[in-house]
Amino acid sequence: MSAPLSPWHKSLNSPLSARRAAAMALAGVLNGQSLNQCLPPLEARVDSADRGFLRDLVLGGCRHYQRLHALAKILQTRPFGDEDQDLSALLIIGLYQLAIQGKAPHAAVHATVEVCEELGKGYAKSVLNACLRRYGREYESLLPPLDDNPVTATSHPKWLVKMLSKAWPDDWQAILQQNNERPPLCLRVNRRHGSRDDYLARLTSAGIDARAAEFSADGIYLTESCDITQLPGFAEGDFSVQDEAAQLAAQLLAPQAGERILDACAAPGGKTCHLLERADARVLAVDIEESRLGRVHENLARLQLQAEVICADIGAPDDWWDGEHFDAILLDAPCSATGVIRRHPDIKLLRRREDIEQLAEVQARLLDTAWNLLKPGGRLLYATCSVLPQENSEQIQNFINRHTSVGLTELDFPWGKACNAGRQLLPQPDGHDGFYYALMLKEG
């Protein structure tokens, strides 16, 4: 006779409180899942009025995990075991409410402790209660020592602090600070449906405060986050959500009418669509993850655009390439995503130091492959949402050393920092994310 299911597994459709869902999502991250994997199904089981609170708890718990985990270790006489990862996560969620959100104990402690019952682990209520109550009594003495260590002061893993401080000695502290801030909401106006000025006027008429982006010709920042589906023209495809730094890709590649363009690693399709918004080009969008290509099709349909979309490994062209060379290629390469941590704070828990070398090897392979698919006289734009030189300027310098036909275009713009090769954007307050670009021409 099989053992009865735990309360956790009784129903995959039963309603969840925001705090329970937050603990389950954070436990998923601690077990190696990304928030993109574990949060959506849990979010669907939470009352719509509480989903904003849920996301705040989960993103905040990830964003400040290293600091809160250090606090948890101090407060616990004995840590929870591996079988109680959900309780470890719940303690982090409780500490986030007290130490970061600044909620009064009477408003947060009881509600958090009661989640133990929801998880079927009522035996842990006294332990959780004791930890959270102790924090409320002793926080003035508990917090100062955490500020002396950059890992717990900034909630970043040690390896990343070391790499950033070495790569950006004048900027690393600002990068770490921005990684812990909430990112602004940036739109990209579909210029086929109207100008940016026209859409700004529509937002003003709707009582929505917004401003034009400084560097992207199609970008608009909203002062306050909102439900984007309620903005004017969403269903009609008049705009998309896309960070300003990411919008620079189409601006730099400058697609022309009739050109055959490859968007490698295209999902979820934001850059594919932006290329098509700017020119009547023939765009082939390729991505290795079929599960993500649905988003590409959805975006194309909503924006009323057309591209050829295939699921394939860019690095194995014999499996998908028809032999016709491309006029231009956008290679938005797989990377550490260290430039978008503020949007995806689970990166700080999931990424490892050894990942960087492995990613650099993949990037080098894809660069070499893409170069062989490019026409003589064609252009290749290499992009990542990383701020690490190993994936960016050093990667491109190594590429140039391997190929004699590379002409590197100087990117002299009022954004980012010039590197030995290409240009690096770092995350900015109320502005763009971290991104890297290098534009190369194939000579001969």
Side-chain angles (χ1 to χ4, degrees):
M1 188 175 190
S2 60
L5 291 176
S6 70
W8 181 299
H9 297 98
K10 277 185 178 177
S11 173
L12 295 179
N13 299 308
S14 58
L16 296 174
S17 70
R19 288 181 174 88
R20 180 184 174 187
M24 293 169 68
L26 181 55
V29 174
L30 297 179
N31 285 319
Q33 286 186 295
S34 72
L35 283 180
N36 286 338
Q37 293 173 302
C38 61
L39 183 55
L42 294 169
E43 192 173 38
R45 297 166 60 189
V46 172
D47 187 276
S48 59
D50 293 330
R51 288 175 187 170
F53 180 48
L54 163 62
R55 292 190 68 83
D56 188 19
L57 291 178
V58 177
L59 294 176
C62 291
R63 190 169 283 134
H64 301 280
Y65 179 79
Q66 281 78 6
R67 185 175 182 85
L68 298 175
H69 180 58
L71 271 177
K73 288 199 296 184
I74 295 171
L75 295 169
Q76 289 179 283
T77 55
R78 187 174 62 184
F80 294 118
D82 292 343
E83 71 280 4
D84 288 326
Q85 197 76 278
D86 51 347
L87 294 176
S88 297
L90 182 59
L91 178 55
I92 296 297
I93 295 300
L95 288 171
Y96 171 70
Q97 295 168 77
L98 298 175
I100 307 299
Q101 288 186 321
K103 287 187 178 295
H106 71 267
V109 174
H110 177 74
T112 302
V113 170
E114 285 303 306
V115 175
C116 293
E117 293 283 3
E118 297 179 50
L119 293 172
K121 298 183 176 182
Y123 58 82
K125 289 172 66 175
S126 60
V127 174
L128 209 71
N129 185 68
C131 290
L132 296 177
R133 297 290 180 189
R134 182 185 170 194
Y135 172 82
R137 295 192 305 270
E138 302 179 20
Y139 69 91
E140 290 183 343
S141 62
L142 293 173
L143 295 179
L146 301 181
D147 295 329
D148 295 333
N149 183 334
V151 172
T152 52
T154 68
S155 280
H156 282 74
K158 184 177 181 179
W159 69 266
L160 184 55
V161 173
K162 291 180 67 174
M163 292 187 77
L164 289 174
S165 60
K166 180 180 179 181
W168 305 106
D170 297 329
D171 303 287
W172 67 276
Q173 291 172 310
I175 295 172
L176 297 180
Q177 180 180 344
Q178 283 308 305
N179 286 350
N180 288 337
E181 298 295 331
R182 297 184 184 187
L185 178 57
C186 189
L187 309 180
R188 185 191 77 234
V189 174
N190 184 349
R191 57 172 57 197
R192 288 181 177 268
H193 292 192
S195 71
R196 176 169 68 175
D197 288 345
D198 289 341
Y199 194 74
L200 279 168
R202 292 171 66 186
L203 291 175
T204 300
S205 297
I208 299 169
D209 191 23
R211 60 180 171 87
E214 185 176 0
F215 306 121
S216 168
D218 300 315
I220 290 177
Y221 284 101
L222 300 188
T223 303
E224 301 287 342
S225 293
C226 64
D227 180 355
I228 58 126
T229 64
Q230 302 303 307
L231 292 176
F234 173 79
E236 295 76 21
D238 294 345
F239 71 90
S240 299
V241 174
Q242 188 180 39
D243 178 69
E244 183 180 11
Q247 293 182 35
L248 298 175
Q251 208 161 290
L252 290 170
L253 196 59
Q256 303 299 309
E259 284 188 323
R260 187 171 194 242
I261 299 176
L262 171 65
D263 184 1
C265 312
K271 298 179 185 69
T272 301
C273 293
H274 199 192
L275 290 168
L276 290 165
E277 288 168 3
R278 295 180 69 96
D280 290 318
R282 294 183 294 142
V283 175
L284 173 62
V286 180
D287 200 276
I288 196 171
E289 294 187 42
E290 187 158 10
S291 61
R292 301 182 70 214
L293 285 175
R295 287 282 306 281
V296 180
H297 289 292
E298 290 171 8
N299 286 325
L300 287 167
R302 187 178 65 83
L303 298 170
Q304 302 165 41
L305 301 167
Q306 289 188 331
E308 183 181 357
V309 181
I310 62 174
C311 180
D313 179 1
I314 285 293
D318 289 346
D319 296 337
W320 60 270
W321 184 43
D322 63 5
E324 181 184 354
H325 288 79
F326 295 92
D327 297 289
I329 296 176
L330 169 59
L331 175 57
D332 187 4
C335 72
S336 63
T338 45
V340 293
I341 285 175
R342 60 185 182 179
R343 297 188 188 277
H344 305 283
D346 50 330
I347 290 168
K348 291 195 285 186
L349 283 71
L350 299 173
R351 188 67 66 208
R352 299 289 182 266
R353 171 65 184 87
E354 54 268 25
D355 295 341
I356 308 306
E357 183 176 347
Q358 295 171 7
L359 285 164
E361 291 175 358
V362 172
Q363 293 155 3
R365 177 173 64 88
L366 295 181
L367 270 166
D368 289 342
T369 300
W371 195 247
N372 291 331
L373 306 179
L374 192 64
K375 287 180 180 178
R379 57 204 187 279
L380 188 155
L381 181 65
Y382 176 79
T384 76
C385 56
S386 168
V387 293
L388 299 177
Q390 294 93 326
E391 302 178 271
N392 297 336
S393 58
E394 292 177 10
Q395 180 70 261
I396 294 303
Q397 189 58 60
N398 291 336
F399 174 75
I400 293 171
N401 293 341
R402 293 196 300 274
H403 298 270
T404 59
S405 58
V406 181
L408 183 65
T409 301
E410 181 182 1
L411 302 179
D412 186 12
F413 293 101
W415 47 259
K417 294 175 176 288
C419 306
N420 61 310
R423 200 163 187 88
Q424 178 74 60
L425 297 101
L426 303 178
Q428 296 298 305
D430 298 318
H432 59 70
D433 292 339
F435 235 83
Y436 173 83
Y437 288 109
L439 181 61
M440 293 162 285
L441 302 180
K442 190 168 188 178
E443 299 173 342

PDB file of all heavy atoms in Angstrom, residues 158-169:
ATOM      1  N   LYS A 158      30.336  35.332  -3.230  1.00  0.00           N
ATOM      2  CA  LYS A 158      31.717  35.810  -3.118  1.00  0.00           C
ATOM      3  C   LYS A 158      32.430  35.834  -4.460  1.00  0.00           C
ATOM      4  O   LYS A 158      33.149  36.784  -4.790  1.00  0.00           O
ATOM      5  CB  LYS A 158      32.477  34.927  -2.120  1.00  0.00           C
ATOM      6  CG  LYS A 158      33.903  35.381  -1.848  1.00  0.00           C
ATOM      7  CD  LYS A 158      34.559  34.489  -0.795  1.00  0.00           C
ATOM      8  CE  LYS A 158      35.986  34.937  -0.496  1.00  0.00           C
ATOM      9  NZ  LYS A 158      36.606  34.069   0.551  1.00  0.00           N
ATOM     10  N   TRP A 159      32.226  34.790  -5.264  1.00  0.00           N
ATOM     11  CA  TRP A 159      32.934  34.711  -6.540  1.00  0.00           C
ATOM     12  C   TRP A 159      32.545  35.869  -7.457  1.00  0.00           C
ATOM     13  O   TRP A 159      33.399  36.417  -8.175  1.00  0.00           O
ATOM     14  CB  TRP A 159      32.657  33.370  -7.233  1.00  0.00           C
ATOM     15  CG  TRP A 159      31.262  33.183  -7.729  1.00  0.00           C
ATOM     16  CD1 TRP A 159      30.234  32.582  -7.079  1.00  0.00           C
ATOM     17  CD2 TRP A 159      30.729  33.618  -8.996  1.00  0.00           C
ATOM     18  NE1 TRP A 159      29.084  32.604  -7.848  1.00  0.00           N
ATOM     19  CE2 TRP A 159      29.364  33.227  -9.023  1.00  0.00           C
ATOM     20  CE3 TRP A 159      31.263  34.282 -10.091  1.00  0.00           C
ATOM     21  CZ2 TRP A 159      28.536  33.490 -10.114  1.00  0.00           C
ATOM     22  CZ3 TRP A 159      30.436  34.547 -11.183  1.00  0.00           C
ATOM     23  CH2 TRP A 159      29.092  34.152 -11.188  1.00  0.00           C
ATOM     24  N   LEU A 160      31.273  36.280  -7.412  1.00  0.00           N
ATOM     25  CA  LEU A 160      30.821  37.359  -8.283  1.00  0.00           C
ATOM     26  C   LEU A 160      31.344  38.712  -7.791  1.00  0.00           C
ATOM     27  O   LEU A 160      31.730  39.566  -8.603  1.00  0.00           O
ATOM     28  CB  LEU A 160      29.293  37.363  -8.361  1.00  0.00           C
ATOM     29  CG  LEU A 160      28.666  38.377  -9.319  1.00  0.00           C
ATOM     30  CD1 LEU A 160      29.229  38.228 -10.732  1.00  0.00           C
ATOM     31  CD2 LEU A 160      27.144  38.223  -9.339  1.00  0.00           C
ATOM     32  N   VAL A 161      31.363  38.898  -6.487  1.00  0.00           N
ATOM     33  CA  VAL A 161      31.932  40.134  -5.935  1.00  0.00           C
ATOM     34  C   VAL A 161      33.388  40.274  -6.381  1.00  0.00           C
ATOM     35  O   VAL A 161      33.831  41.349  -6.810  1.00  0.00           O
ATOM     36  CB  VAL A 161      31.830  40.146  -4.396  1.00  0.00           C
ATOM     37  CG1 VAL A 161      32.582  41.350  -3.819  1.00  0.00           C
ATOM     38  CG2 VAL A 161      30.378  40.173  -3.945  1.00  0.00           C
ATOM     39  N   LYS A 162      34.144  39.189  -6.305  1.00  0.00           N
ATOM     40  CA  LYS A 162      35.565  39.223  -6.686  1.00  0.00           C
ATOM     41  C   LYS A 162      35.728  39.515  -8.177  1.00  0.00           C
ATOM     42  O   LYS A 162      36.587  40.326  -8.573  1.00  0.00           O
ATOM     43  CB  LYS A 162      36.233  37.890  -6.333  1.00  0.00           C
ATOM     44  CG  LYS A 162      36.369  37.651  -4.838  1.00  0.00           C
ATOM     45  CD  LYS A 162      37.025  36.316  -4.536  1.00  0.00           C
ATOM     46  CE  LYS A 162      38.470  36.282  -4.974  1.00  0.00           C
ATOM     47  NZ  LYS A 162      39.153  35.029  -4.551  1.00  0.00           N
ATOM     48  N   MET A 163      34.911  38.881  -9.023  1.00  0.00           N
ATOM     49  CA  MET A 163      35.044  39.089 -10.464  1.00  0.00           C
ATOM     50  C   MET A 163      34.665  40.517 -10.857  1.00  0.00           C
ATOM     51  O   MET A 163      35.321  41.137 -11.700  1.00  0.00           O
ATOM     52  CB  MET A 163      34.193  38.074 -11.226  1.00  0.00           C
ATOM     53  CG  MET A 163      34.685  36.646 -11.113  1.00  0.00           C
ATOM     54  SD  MET A 163      33.783  35.488 -12.175  1.00  0.00           S
ATOM     55  CE  MET A 163      34.519  35.857 -13.761  1.00  0.00           C
ATOM     56  N   LEU A 164      33.624  41.040 -10.256  1.00  0.00           N
ATOM     57  CA  LEU A 164      33.184  42.397 -10.598  1.00  0.00           C
ATOM     58  C   LEU A 164      34.166  43.440 -10.098  1.00  0.00           C
ATOM     59  O   LEU A 164      34.436  44.428 -10.791  1.00  0.00           O
ATOM     60  CB  LEU A 164      31.791  42.655 -10.019  1.00  0.00           C
ATOM     61  CG  LEU A 164      30.641  41.895 -10.685  1.00  0.00           C
ATOM     62  CD1 LEU A 164      29.338  42.130  -9.933  1.00  0.00           C
ATOM     63  CD2 LEU A 164      30.486  42.315 -12.147  1.00  0.00           C
ATOM     64  N   SER A 165      34.696  43.249  -8.904  1.00  0.00           N
ATOM     65  CA  SER A 165      35.643  44.236  -8.371  1.00  0.00           C
ATOM     66  C   SER A 165      36.935  44.250  -9.180  1.00  0.00           C
ATOM     67  O   SER A 165      37.565  45.302  -9.344  1.00  0.00           O
ATOM     68  CB  SER A 165      35.941  43.951  -6.897  1.00  0.00           C
ATOM     69  OG  SER A 165      36.503  42.662  -6.725  1.00  0.00           O
ATOM     70  N   LYS A 166      37.309  43.096  -9.733  1.00  0.00           N
ATOM     71  CA  LYS A 166      38.500  43.041 -10.587  1.00  0.00           C
ATOM     72  C   LYS A 166      38.228  43.653 -11.956  1.00  0.00           C
ATOM     73  O   LYS A 166      39.059  44.403 -12.500  1.00  0.00           O
ATOM     74  CB  LYS A 166      38.953  41.587 -10.749  1.00  0.00           C
ATOM     75  CG  LYS A 166      40.194  41.438 -11.628  1.00  0.00           C
ATOM     76  CD  LYS A 166      40.598  39.972 -11.757  1.00  0.00           C
ATOM     77  CE  LYS A 166      41.823  39.829 -12.656  1.00  0.00           C
ATOM     78  NZ  LYS A 166      42.232  38.401 -12.823  1.00  0.00           N
ATOM     79  N   ALA A 167      37.060  43.371 -12.511  1.00  0.00           N
ATOM     80  CA  ALA A 167      36.733  43.857 -13.859  1.00  0.00           C
ATOM     81  C   ALA A 167      36.412  45.342 -13.872  1.00  0.00           C
ATOM     82  O   ALA A 167      36.768  46.058 -14.815  1.00  0.00           O
ATOM     83  CB  ALA A 167      35.547  43.069 -14.416  1.00  0.00           C
ATOM     84  N   TRP A 168      35.749  45.832 -12.824  1.00  0.00           N
ATOM     85  CA  TRP A 168      35.277  47.210 -12.780  1.00  0.00           C
ATOM     86  C   TRP A 168      35.648  47.858 -11.442  1.00  0.00           C
ATOM     87  O   TRP A 168      34.780  48.090 -10.594  1.00  0.00           O
ATOM     88  CB  TRP A 168      33.759  47.244 -12.990  1.00  0.00           C
ATOM     89  CG  TRP A 168      33.318  46.556 -14.238  1.00  0.00           C
ATOM     90  CD1 TRP A 168      32.710  45.354 -14.345  1.00  0.00           C
ATOM     91  CD2 TRP A 168      33.482  47.040 -15.572  1.00  0.00           C
ATOM     92  NE1 TRP A 168      32.487  45.031 -15.659  1.00  0.00           N
ATOM     93  CE2 TRP A 168      32.944  46.056 -16.444  1.00  0.00           C
ATOM     94  CE3 TRP A 168      34.030  48.210 -16.122  1.00  0.00           C
ATOM     95  CZ2 TRP A 168      32.940  46.207 -17.827  1.00  0.00           C
ATOM     96  CZ3 TRP A 168      34.020  48.357 -17.503  1.00  0.00           C
ATOM     97  CH2 TRP A 168      33.488  47.374 -18.336  1.00  0.00           C
ATOM     98  N   PRO A 169      36.953  48.131 -11.238  1.00  0.00           N
ATOM     99  CA  PRO A 169      37.392  48.645  -9.933  1.00  0.00           C
ATOM    100  C   PRO A 169      36.725  49.951  -9.522  1.00  0.00           C
ATOM    101  O   PRO A 169      36.614  50.230  -8.323  1.00  0.00           O
ATOM    102  CB  PRO A 169      38.910  48.820 -10.117  1.00  0.00           C
ATOM    103  CG  PRO A 169      39.135  48.828 -11.595  1.00  0.00           C
ATOM    104  CD  PRO A 169      38.071  47.967 -12.174  1.00  0.00           C
TER     105      PRO A 169
END
